[in-house]
Amino acid sequence: QVQLVESGGGVVQPGRSLRLSCAASGFTFSSFSMHWVRQAPGKGLEWVALTSYDGSTEYYADSVKGRFTISRDNSKNTLYLHMNSLRPEDTAVYYCARDRGYSYAHNLDYWGQGALVTVSS
Amino acid sequence: IQMTQSPSSLSASVGDRVTITCRASQNISIYLNWYQQRPGKAPKLLIYAASSLQSGVPSRFSGSGSETDFTLSISSLQPEDFATYYCQQSYGTPYTFGQGTKLETK
């Protein structure tokens, strides 16, 4: 069955960096675009970033552009989110999610359990 | 693209029919998806492409609409349906979500 498992969350000081990982299994990872979505405590969902199936194309929310980088290693079935210059407002649960593709209106059909990132001094 | 959901919260009882609306700031065709999120859990896809029911989702959930106006309906509320619901446009990046509608027990 499809599984997405995030790791790498934790407490980090403002201005520091952190890398999240999302290990995928149960499907052909290299065939699907992947997303990161976050949710600040008590708040709604915020889309963060998207990478195409082969990693050749990336898109970012304005709130993270220039600070965050999405990447993937298809040989390891793993998605990453490299977060630099972290701010307190980046505190959130970060979810990775699979994009089902154009024919399905790019819905996010599978999600990980989430990784909590807390930015605090 | 801005997505505006209404209402922000809704009180209802088991067996009620409820409708949540989502409005896009521009034409997004049918690139509209609905998700359910229970506390402490990851979102779950309910409806994609405005009106297609995701596999395994009960048929009491339905979606409609196109261009800028969309609705999610639940025909007969069950206890497990009390959760927060989000719409999301996937017409173009950034793939914005609505602010959410919290469905609570009356």
Side-chain angles (χ1 to χ4, degrees), chain A residues 35 37 39 43-47 50 59-62 95 99-100 102-113, chain B residues 30-33 35 37 40-45 47-50 54-55 86 88 90 93-99:
Chain A
H35 299 248
V37 175
Q39 187 169 37
K43 303 297 185 182
L45 300 171
E46 180 187 14
W47 179 84
L50 156 67
Y59 298 96
Y60 298 93
D62 287 345
Y95 297 99
D99 184 322
R100 199 170 169 198
Y102 173 80
S103 299
Y104 299 91
H106 294 290
N107 69 69
L108 305 184
D109 62 345
Y110 286 96
W111 297 63
Q113 84 287 353
Chain B
I30 60 167
Y31 287 86
L32 191 284
N33 307 305
Y35 302 87
Q37 187 179 34
K41 299 295 186 181
K44 172 187 173 183
L45 177 68
I47 301 286
Y48 66 92
Q54 171 68 350
S55 176
Y86 295 93
Q88 182 212 18
S90 52
T93 56
Y95 285 177
T96 40
F97 289 88
Q99 80 277 19

Side-chain angles (χ1 to χ4, degrees), chain B residues 80-93:
Chain B
E80 62 267 29
D81 299 338
F82 292 95
T84 301
Y85 294 84
Y86 295 93
C87 62
Q88 182 212 18
Q89 66 81 17
S90 52
Y91 182 81
T93 56

Side-chain angles (χ1 to χ4, degrees), chain A residues 60-75:
Chain A
Y60 298 93
D62 287 345
S63 58
V64 307
K65 199 174 296 181
R67 300 188 300 122
F68 289 12
T69 301
I70 188 172
S71 65
R72 63 192 299 160
D73 186 336
N74 285 345
S75 68

Side-chain angles (χ1 to χ4, degrees), chain B:
Chain B
I1 301 172
Q2 306 297 321
M3 305 302 294
T4 304
Q5 280 181 242
S6 61
S8 296
S9 62
L10 179 58
S11 294
S13 301
V14 171
D16 285 353
R17 176 182 178 87
V18 299
T19 299
I20 298 168
T21 65
C22 181
R23 175 163 287 177
S25 60
Q26 67 181 69
N27 184 344
I28 59 169
S29 183
I30 60 167
Y31 287 86
L32 191 284
N33 307 305
W34 289 97
Y35 302 87
Q36 175 194 67
Q37 187 179 34
R38 297 188 176 105
K41 299 295 186 181
K44 172 187 173 183
L45 177 68
L46 298 176
I47 301 286
Y48 66 92
S51 61
S52 295
L53 190 68
Q54 171 68 350
S55 176
V57 174
S59 59
R60 62 180 180 273
F61 291 92
S62 63
S64 65
S66 65
E67 298 188 355
T68 60
D69 293 302
F70 303 87
T71 60
L72 171 70
S73 296
I74 311 173
S75 61
S76 178
L77 276 173
Q78 299 302 300
E80 62 267 29
D81 299 338
F82 292 95
T84 301
Y85 294 84
Y86 295 93
C87 62
Q88 182 212 18
Q89 66 81 17
S90 52
Y91 182 81
T93 56
Y95 285 177
T96 40
F97 289 88
Q99 80 277 19
T101 295
K102 187 173 184 179
L103 182 52
E104 299 173 303
T105 307
K106 186 181 288 183

